[in-house]
């Protein structure tokens, strides 16, 4: 087999290779094994082929590291034990850095105080700046994903997290994913959005200095903030700590997956509770330091996924919609999800309450789409609204279509199942069929002179 030309071997590898879980499973219930390739899947076949010989491994290695999953061994966030240097050195020495298309960070940090919902972990901004600078000076991914506990995710963003009611939700992990269709820098963008290889050829070995001066992280577990997100006039003069992750590349798509809210419905007055969520921080609609929006102006596609979220929580997104072109929502389990069939999960839960909250959430959405234009809101800028629930709940989708017809609203039309598009008399319908897990654009659109072959997958 060593005599087989490399072009033929690469073509064979195309058939045994498959999409990474980080491409296809971002809409599923977040868990530690969600983004891990298991035996029997197509990606595992490519790994097995890379063990045949040194020659095969040299050909397969760039494909194996197109989708990198980094699981750092973290024992403290305040002491900052997130060290990407060994991984980045490996990628650089093996000339794999430029081929990384997706980079996923999975942090399973368990803190006793956090588990008891006493205090959220904190990370100094200077440490976070060092982390993002080290990563993006070597890799230049089209998608960057973080899977972590809500408290850890808030710490990575230097934001506050409300924990007083967290015990009733018991949400183990959230997913935050940023994506872009290609590596081209839009006109007028800062040079900091360019390829990381222009900044540094190899990762620096310098660790962040413990004596470095910088503002303290504002990731706190606050019990004094109001249950309803609101901007406090007391702190308006204070400036929130910026998060370089959102501006280090010109991201065009953002995805937030908050998992299942089903456990909160075991509480009698569940509608009064507030989940541990970074949604308000992303939108900048809470008290300091969550009063500064994190969603950059380059983002035109916002994707929100949760299983039976509280309608009051979903309404926060609708009331503070960012300036986007497309909104994707998924509020019920996907087909094949066993949440409603797991007796331990739905014990002491009235299933009717779950669907009432779902109906209320979509009522809020339809009300925004059919209401009179508000010049102070961003709904006039929205061009596409898509639901990921049409396939699993066709009756609800048919009711939504009938609702639009009966409302007399002519500005929105149903283009395909689950998709409403704003109608313009002088323009044609924009095709969004190239979406990947709600992220706009395919991974094949590399701006490199000699791009690697990267599969493009339609939205599921």
């Amino acid at each position: 087999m060593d005599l087989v030309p490399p072009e033929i071997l690469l073509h064979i590898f195309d058939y045994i290779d498959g999409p990474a879980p980080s491409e296809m499973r971002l809409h599923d219930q977040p868990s530690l094994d969600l983004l891990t390739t298991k035996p029997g899947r197509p990606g595992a076949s490519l790994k097995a082929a890379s063990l045949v010989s040194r020659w095969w491994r040299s050909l397969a290695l760039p494909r194996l590291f197109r989708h990198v999953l980094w699981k750092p061994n973290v024992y403290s966030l305040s002491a900052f034990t997130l060290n990407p240097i060994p991984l980045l050195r490996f990628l650089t020495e093996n000339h794999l850095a430029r081929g990384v298309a997706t980079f996923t960070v999975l942090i399973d940090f368990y803190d006793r105080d956090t588990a008891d919902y006493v205090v959220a972990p904190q990370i100094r901004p200077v440490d976070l700046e060092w982390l993002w600078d080290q990563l993006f000076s070597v890799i230049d991914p089209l998608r960057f994903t973080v899977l972590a506990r809500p408290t850890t995710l808030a710490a990575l963003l230097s934001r506050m997290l409300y924990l007083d009611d967290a015990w009733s939700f018991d949400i183990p992990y959230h997913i935050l994913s940023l994506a872009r269709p290609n590596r081209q820098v839009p006109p007028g963008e800062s040079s900091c959005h360019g390829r990381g290889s222009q900044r540094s050829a190899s990762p620096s070995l310098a660790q962040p200095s413990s004596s470095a001066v910088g503002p303290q992280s504002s990731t706190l577990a606050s019990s004094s903030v109001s249950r309803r997100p609101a901007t406090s006039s007391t702190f308006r003069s204070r400036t929130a700590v910026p998060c370089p992750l959102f501006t280090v590349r010109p991201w065009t798509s953002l995805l937030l997956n908050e998992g299942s809210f089903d456990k909160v419905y075991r509480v009698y007055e569940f509608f009064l509770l507030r989940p541990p969520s970074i949604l308000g921080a992303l939108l900048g609609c809470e008290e300091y330091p969550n009063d500064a929006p994190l969603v950059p102006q380059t983002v035109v596609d916002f994707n929100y996924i949760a299983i039976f979220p509280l309608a009051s929580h979903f309404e926060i997104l609708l009331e503070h919609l960012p300036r986007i072109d497309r909104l994707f929502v998924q509020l019920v389990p996907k087909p094949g999800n066993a949440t409603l069939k797991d007796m331990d999960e739905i014990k002491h839960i009235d299933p009717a309450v779950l669907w009432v909250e779902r109906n209320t959430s979509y009522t809020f959405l339809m009300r925004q789409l059919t209401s009179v234009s508000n010049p102070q809101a961003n709904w006039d800028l929205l061009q596409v609204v898509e639901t990921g629930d049409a396939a699993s709940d066709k009756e609800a989708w048919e009711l939504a279509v009938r609702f639009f017809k009966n409302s007399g609203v002519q500005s929105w039309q149903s283009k395909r199942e689950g998709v409403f598009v704003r109608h313009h008399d002088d323009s044609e319908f924009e095709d969004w069929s190239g979406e990947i897990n709600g992220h706009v654009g395919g991974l094949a659109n590399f701006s490199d002179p000699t791009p690697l072959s990267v599969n493009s997958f339609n939205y599921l």
Side-chain angles (χ1 to χ4, degrees):
M1 292 295 292
D2 289 342
L3 300 178
V4 178
E7 295 81 5
I8 296 180
L9 283 177
L10 291 175
H11 191 61
I12 295 175
F13 290 164
D14 282 336
Y15 282 94
I16 63 176
D17 193 10
S22 58
E23 288 185 298
M24 307 302 295
R25 304 191 65 189
L26 293 181
H27 287 205
D28 295 345
Q29 174 73 7
S31 63
L32 289 179
D33 61 347
L34 177 68
L35 304 181
T36 302
T37 301
K38 298 180 180 179
R41 290 186 176 177
S45 301
L46 183 61
K47 291 181 180 178
S50 68
L51 302 177
V52 171
S53 66
R54 293 181 181 273
W55 171 238
W56 282 33
R57 182 167 179 79
S58 64
L59 294 176
L61 206 60
R63 295 173 179 268
L64 289 175
F65 284 89
R66 288 182 307 174
H67 310 288
V68 177
L69 176 60
W70 179 38
K71 298 181 180 180
N73 186 16
V74 179
Y75 60 85
S76 173
L77 289 178
S78 58
F80 198 72
T81 57
L82 283 165
N83 183 13
I85 296 300
L87 172 62
L88 298 180
R89 181 184 290 116
F90 171 83
L91 295 175
T92 302
E93 292 177 351
N94 291 275
H95 308 286
L96 301 172
R98 68 171 297 271
V100 175
T102 68
F103 191 93
T104 303
V105 183
L106 194 157
I107 303 177
D108 184 24
F109 173 67
Y110 183 85
D111 184 86
R112 179 179 300 178
D113 291 335
T114 301
D116 295 335
Y117 308 111
V118 176
V119 62
Q122 302 181 36
I123 304 178
R124 298 185 310 162
V126 65
D127 292 334
L128 289 174
E129 291 177 5
W130 176 86
L131 174 64
W132 305 134
D133 181 71
Q134 290 297 314
L135 286 173
F136 288 97
S137 66
V138 176
I139 62 172
D140 191 29
L142 297 179
R143 181 186 297 117
F144 187 87
T145 304
V146 180
L147 191 155
R149 299 178 186 273
T151 49
T152 302
L153 194 56
L156 291 173
L157 305 183
S158 297
R159 289 302 182 264
M160 176 184 65
L161 195 69
Y162 185 84
L163 294 179
D164 280 12
D165 300 333
W167 61 271
S168 59
F169 289 86
D170 191 22
I171 300 176
Y173 302 99
H174 285 179
I175 295 177
L176 176 65
S177 184
L178 298 165
R180 53 189 173 137
N182 52 58
R183 289 185 170 124
Q184 296 176 354
V185 180
E189 289 290 337
S190 172
S191 59
C192 69
H193 294 319
R195 287 191 56 81
S197 58
Q198 297 175 355
R199 299 180 54 192
S200 175
S202 61
S204 171
L205 299 181
Q207 295 284 351
S209 172
S210 59
S211 61
V213 178
Q216 293 298 317
S217 172
S218 301
T219 306
L220 307 173
S222 174
S223 59
S224 60
V225 298
S226 60
R227 293 179 179 273
R228 294 293 297 168
T231 301
S232 174
S233 60
T234 306
F235 301 108
R236 283 179 182 173
S237 60
R238 302 175 64 180
T239 304
V241 177
C243 183
L245 173 62
F246 291 89
T247 56
V248 70
R249 293 294 185 272
W251 310 115
T252 59
S253 180
L254 186 149
L255 180 145
L256 177 64
N257 185 342
E258 296 191 312
S260 178
F261 282 60
D262 58 342
K263 291 182 176 63
V264 73
Y265 295 103
R266 300 173 183 175
V267 182
Y268 178 66
E269 294 183 330
F270 62 85
F271 47 85
L272 297 177
L273 303 179
R274 177 177 167 185
S277 169
I278 64 166
L279 179 61
L282 292 175
L283 303 176
C285 61
E286 296 179 345
E287 294 182 351
Y288 175 87
N290 296 1
D291 55 347
L294 290 174
V295 180
Q297 296 182 356
T298 55
V299 168
V300 296
D301 175 43
F302 194 99
N303 305 265
Y304 179 75
I305 298 96
I307 298 178
F308 297 116
L310 294 177
S312 57
H313 179 64
F314 180 69
E315 191 178 16
I316 295 174
L317 171 61
L318 305 182
E319 292 179 347
H320 303 276
L321 188 75
R323 297 173 62 88
I324 56 176
D325 295 335
R326 175 183 176 269
L327 173 65
F328 174 91
V329 296
Q330 178 184 316
L331 307 181
V332 300
K334 293 176 61 177
N337 189 303
T339 299
L340 296 180
K341 299 179 181 179
D342 190 338
M343 298 307 298
D344 292 333
E345 286 290 327
I346 64 173
K347 186 182 298 183
H348 308 303
I349 297 178
D350 183 3
V353 175
L354 304 178
W355 297 105
V356 168
E357 287 294 303
R358 190 285 309 264
N359 293 339
T360 304
S361 297
Y362 273 109
T363 299
F364 290 158
L365 176 59
M366 293 300 171
R367 183 178 62 189
Q368 291 286 356
L369 295 177
T370 58
S371 61
V372 179
S373 300
N374 182 1
Q376 296 181 348
N378 294 321
W379 287 93
D380 288 344
L381 305 175
L382 194 65
Q383 302 299 316
V384 179
V385 176
E386 182 171 353
T387 171
D389 302 327
S392 58
D393 195 351
K394 295 184 180 297
E395 181 180 356
W397 168 249
E398 293 174 356
L399 290 175
V401 174
R402 193 177 304 119
F403 175 85
F404 267 106
K405 292 181 178 179
N406 295 336
S407 66
V409 175
Q410 302 295 329
S411 57
W412 291 95
Q413 295 182 357
S414 173
K415 286 297 181 180
R416 65 174 186 267
E417 187 178 68
V419 180
F420 285 112
V421 178
R422 187 181 295 276
H423 176 67
H424 298 281
D425 295 334
D426 56 348
S427 62
E428 296 181 356
F429 167 61
E430 183 176 357
D431 185 16
W432 295 77
S433 59
E435 301 147 12
I436 305 175
N437 277 326
H439 282 18
V440 179
L443 295 182
N445 299 323
F446 275 47
S447 59
D448 305 80
T450 56
L452 294 175
S453 174
V454 180
N455 295 331
S456 177
F457 302 94
N458 290 332
Y459 167 75
L460 293 181

